């Protein structure tokens, strides 16, 4: 069992490493080299919005289905109920998107808005459908899916480099490759839509995860949104370059978190103390190690990948990477809370995190510009990590699930 867990962790790390490396080391640098610094900042902000929506919608469906697999006795109702729920919420999003596009929120023509809609839908499906493999603990398919998607991204970036007139094509080609792989290697289309007696329960769990993920993922890209609104797209580009190594470190920590949740969904709660202590020590250990590595390699990465941003980004690198690593290491504890604690705690922690980030960010940016934002990010991410530890202690270590 331990060997399989280690093997699955490594496969999941490899899967995320492939997509992360391709995006951060090839795709975004390619786009940056072919557009202005200001335009690149705007593109980063738009893609931040795409990622928020896809993880909130598709990722919440994925995790809700994963943690509810034991309440179903028949597989057809398990998959049928979630297929029904997916159709409902994808349709709701479609209506909301059409209404939102009636307002001048982003500078895209009609064709660009249609392409952006397709991109969001495909990215949301990429976040949701791998649950079929996570339930079966088939991390080989997850890895090959990542390879297939990354191949599409590379082809898309080559097309963009040649034409230089539509950056969306880079991501669209990648997501189309992903979608084709998902259709071929999951049974999503084969299951009929159902609505069993468990539907209310799974819908409630989905909405709890949705509300928690809305805050969590907006705050993941909050640097882009807030900097775009208050300081402009150029600062978005600079901060992105400054924190690039911290973002790359997510390819190590995020898949570990995903594998742990997959295995925890199968375990009984009598081992909760052991799991909590293990995850806490692992998250701190990985965080310290990655921060030490970032001190050496972050300047090298930025100077190679974003040479035109290196001088402006250099002064923010240490604190920006530390903040990002604390955010990611805190997320390593989330699978334990998802499995053993009341989901309401997710919302409470994210709301406190959001409030501290917004208030500190606004106040410090007014006085100290982007350095103020970096400090606000570091403080709020530290608060979030401490709250995860406290909730874990009371709800898991002391067997007081709220």
């Amino acid at each position: 069992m331990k060997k399989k867990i280690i093997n699955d962790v490594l496969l999941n790390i490899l899967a995320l490493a492939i997509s992360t490396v391709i995006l951060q080391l090839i795709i975004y640098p390619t786009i940056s080299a072919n557009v202005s610094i200001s335009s690149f900042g705007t593109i980063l902000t738009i893609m931040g919005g795409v990622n928020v929506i896809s993880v909130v919608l598709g990722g919440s469906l994925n995790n809700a289905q994963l943690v509810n697999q034991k309440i179903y006795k028949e597989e057809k109702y398990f998959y049928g109920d979630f297929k029904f729920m997916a159709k409902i919420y994808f349709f709701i999003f479609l209506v909301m998107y059409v209404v939102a596009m009636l307002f001048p929120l982003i500078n895209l023509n009609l064709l660009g808005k249609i392409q952006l809609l397709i991109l969001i839908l495909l990215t949301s499906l990429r976040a949701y459908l791998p649950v079929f493999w996570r339930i079966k603990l088939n991390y080989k398919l997850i890895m090959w899916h990542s390879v297939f998607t990354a191949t599409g991204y590379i082809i898309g970036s080559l097309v963009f480099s040649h034409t230089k007139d539509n950056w969306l094509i880079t991501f669209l080609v990648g997501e189309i490759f992903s979608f084709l792989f998902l259709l071929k290697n999951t049974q999503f289309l084969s299951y009929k839509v159902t609505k069993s007696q468990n539907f209310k329960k799974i819908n409630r769990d989905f909405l709890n995860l949705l509300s928690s993920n809305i805050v969590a993922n907006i705050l993941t890209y909050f640097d882009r949104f807030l900097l775009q609104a208050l300081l402009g797209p150029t600062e978005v580009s600079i901060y992105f370059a400054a924190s690039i190594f911290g973002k790359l470190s997510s390819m190590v920590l995020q898949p570990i978190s995903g594998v742990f949740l997959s295995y925890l969904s199968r375990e009984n709660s009598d081992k909760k103390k052991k799991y909590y202590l293990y995850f806490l020590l692992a998250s701190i250990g990985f965080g310290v190690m990655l921060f030490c590595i970032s001190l050496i390699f972050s300047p090298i990465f930025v100077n190679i990948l974003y040479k035109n941003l290196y001088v402006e980004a250099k002064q923010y690198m240490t604190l920006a990477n530390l903040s990002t690593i604390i955010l990611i290491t805190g997320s390593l504890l989330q699978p334990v809370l998802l499995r053993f604690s009341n989901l309401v705690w997710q919302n409470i922690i994210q709301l406190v995190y959001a409030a501290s980030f917004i208030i500190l960010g606004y106040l410090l940016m007014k006085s100290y510009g982007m350095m103020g934002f970096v400090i606000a990010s570091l403080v709020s991410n530290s608060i979030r990590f401490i709250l995860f530890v406290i909730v874990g202690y009371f709800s898991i270590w002391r067997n007081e699930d709220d």
Side-chain angles (χ1 to χ4, degrees), residues 11 31 62 65 85 114 289 307-308 316 330 371:
L11 282 172
I31 294 173
N62 187 309
Q65 187 160 351
M85 191 159 65
I114 293 172
M289 178 184 68
K307 199 164 188 175
N308 57 332
Y316 308 112
M371 182 57 78

Side-chain angles (χ1 to χ4, degrees), residues 60-329:
S60 297
L61 281 166
N62 187 309
N63 283 331
Q65 187 160 351
L66 189 65
V67 300
N68 278 294
Q69 58 181 298
K70 283 193 171 183
I71 70 172
Y72 282 87
K73 293 182 179 179
E74 293 188 56
E75 191 175 82
K76 65 177 181 178
Y77 293 118
F78 175 54
Y79 290 105
D81 281 12
F82 275 95
K83 187 172 184 178
F84 179 51
M85 191 159 65
K87 285 189 172 183
I88 291 173
Y89 288 104
F90 271 79
F91 178 75
I92 291 172
F93 162 73
L94 180 61
V95 173
M96 292 173 65
Y97 181 88
V98 171
V99 173
M101 287 302 104
L102 297 176
F103 301 92
L105 300 176
I106 52 177
N107 186 25
L108 289 174
N109 58 27
L110 180 59
L111 177 61
K113 290 176 180 178
I114 293 172
Q115 289 177 330
L116 183 61
L117 172 61
I118 295 171
L119 177 63
I120 294 172
L121 291 174
L122 291 176
T123 308
S124 298
L125 285 170
R126 178 164 61 86
Y128 168 51
L129 291 181
V131 72
F132 283 79
W133 305 326
R134 293 180 72 193
I135 288 169
K136 305 296 184 182
L137 300 178
N138 190 342
Y139 284 91
K140 286 184 180 179
L141 274 178
I142 291 176
M143 189 270 292
W144 284 114
H145 172 236
S146 184
V147 171
F148 211 71
T149 304
T151 303
Y153 280 139
I154 293 172
I155 293 172
S157 70
L158 292 174
V159 174
F160 172 67
S161 296
H162 180 69
T163 61
K164 301 185 190 303
D165 64 351
N166 185 5
W167 62 270
L168 279 166
I169 197 69
T170 301
F171 299 99
L172 277 171
V173 174
E175 296 305 330
I176 289 170
F177 269 58
S178 166
F179 183 63
L180 292 174
F181 188 89
L182 287 165
L183 286 186
K184 185 178 184 303
N185 293 284
T186 67
Q187 297 77 44
F188 181 71
L189 294 179
S190 65
Y191 287 103
K192 294 181 179 179
V193 169
T194 60
K195 188 179 180 182
S196 73
Q197 61 183 4
N198 293 315
F199 185 81
K200 286 185 178 180
K201 196 268 181 189
I202 65 168
N203 188 56
R204 184 171 62 249
D205 285 351
F206 167 74
L207 291 174
N208 279 330
L209 285 169
L210 184 79
S211 59
S212 176
N213 282 337
I214 286 174
V215 178
N217 286 281
I218 285 177
L219 289 170
T220 298
Y221 298 95
F222 192 63
D223 52 354
R224 304 183 192 183
F225 304 144
L226 193 60
L227 287 170
Q228 176 87 20
L230 298 181
L231 297 180
T234 299
E235 281 68 23
V236 175
S237 298
I238 293 171
Y239 185 78
F240 176 81
S243 58
I244 185 69
F245 190 87
K247 292 179 174 66
L248 284 170
S249 67
S250 68
M251 72 184 185
V252 176
L253 295 181
Q254 286 182 359
I256 294 174
S257 177
V259 173
F260 284 160
L261 180 56
S262 297
Y263 278 92
L264 281 172
S265 65
R266 294 183 164 211
E267 295 292 340
N268 296 320
S269 59
D270 58 347
K271 295 182 179 179
K272 65 174 84 174
K273 293 180 182 180
K274 174 184 174 183
Y275 279 122
Y276 175 71
L277 182 60
Y278 181 77
F279 292 148
L280 178 60
L281 294 175
S283 65
I284 294 173
F286 277 118
V288 171
M289 178 184 68
L290 289 171
F291 177 65
C292 292
I293 295 173
S294 75
L295 295 175
I296 300 171
F297 290 101
S298 182
I300 299 172
F301 269 80
V302 176
N303 197 29
I304 294 173
L305 300 175
Y306 301 99
K307 199 164 188 175
N308 57 332
L309 295 169
Y310 176 76
V311 175
E312 293 88 346
K314 187 176 181 180
Q315 61 182 311
Y316 308 112
M317 285 182 194
T318 300
L319 293 182
N321 283 310
L322 177 60
S323 176
T324 304
I325 289 170
I326 290 174
L327 173 68
I328 297 165
T329 52

Side-chain angles (χ1 to χ4, degrees), residues 340-355:
F340 297 123
S341 301
N342 193 314
L343 289 175
V344 173
W345 280 112
Q346 297 281 325
N347 296 334
I348 294 173
I349 291 173
Q350 301 297 6
L351 287 173
V352 173
Y353 174 43

